[in-house]
Amino acid sequence: MNASTGTDPKWLGVAIDLATANVEAGGGPFGAVVVGAGELVSTGQNRVTQNLDPTAHAEVMAIRAACERVGNFSLAGHTLYSSCEPCPLCLSAALWARVDRIVFAADRHDAAVGGFDDRAFYELFDKPRAHWDVPVQQHRLDRSFLPFETWIGNSNRVQY
């Protein structure tokens, strides 16, 4: 496990400044940066309302920009800094991007006080799906495994 570094406050400060500037520009109070080898790789601000995209969270925007910049879907060797604890969507994106570390300033409880209560999502994932308000159901077809069968048989696939 990677320990905190002496530059964590610097990069968290950049993320917080991005979040604050985003609010002042009419957006949500979230900012994020991706750092690799001690250098800023990308920034992201919450663009949910501007882009009409519920996945345009600051962390996701920073991850997308970083991957494009480094030319790879893997951000191994990089750290994601966020002004606030990543929600389950952003946490999943960061894990899929294979960042080495995730460092955040405010936590989910601070976000709830600010009107962004992600705690409900964390609590939802702890419940059996049968108790969710939104049904998530499998409807298996005879061909359900076909995309994976095709993937397995594709010798030119890019592993991720």
Side-chain angles (χ1 to χ4, degrees):
M1 185 61 73
N2 293 315
S4 294
T5 69
T7 60
D8 286 352
K10 170 187 173 180
W11 296 119
L12 285 171
V14 173
I16 291 168
D17 290 346
L18 285 166
T20 303
N22 201 47
V23 171
E24 292 167 350
F30 303 98
V33 298
V34 174
V35 175
E39 299 294 324
L40 181 66
V41 176
S42 68
T43 66
Q45 293 171 301
N46 183 282
R47 294 287 186 247
V48 170
T49 57
Q50 293 94 324
N51 294 3
L52 305 178
D53 178 355
T55 68
H57 292 202
E59 297 90 341
V60 172
M61 301 301 284
I63 289 167
R64 289 173 180 164
C67 288
E68 188 171 325
R69 181 161 180 210
V70 303
N72 199 319
F73 54 82
S74 173
L75 294 176
H78 294 77
T79 299
L80 172 67
Y81 291 93
S82 180
S83 63
C84 188
E85 180 177 4
C87 72
L89 167 76
C90 297
L91 181 58
S92 295
L95 295 174
W96 274 111
R98 294 168 177 78
V99 297
D100 284 6
R101 298 174 62 226
I102 302 166
V103 183
F104 59 90
D107 65 17
R108 65 181 82 171
H109 307 290
D110 297 318
V113 171
F116 296 86
D117 198 351
D118 295 337
R119 293 176 302 186
F121 294 118
Y122 284 100
E123 292 166 4
L124 176 68
F125 293 135
D126 285 336
K127 293 181 187 177
R129 284 189 182 172
H131 299 286
W132 290 15
D133 291 335
V134 175
V136 177
Q137 304 163 316
Q138 181 179 25
H139 184 101
R140 193 157 188 90
L141 302 176
D142 291 341
R143 305 173 3 157
S144 293
F145 191 73
L146 182 60
F148 297 105
E149 186 177 309
T150 305
W151 169 260
I152 292 165
N154 181 356
S155 61
N156 295 322
R157 70 181 178 264
V158 175
Q159 291 292 347
Y160 64 96

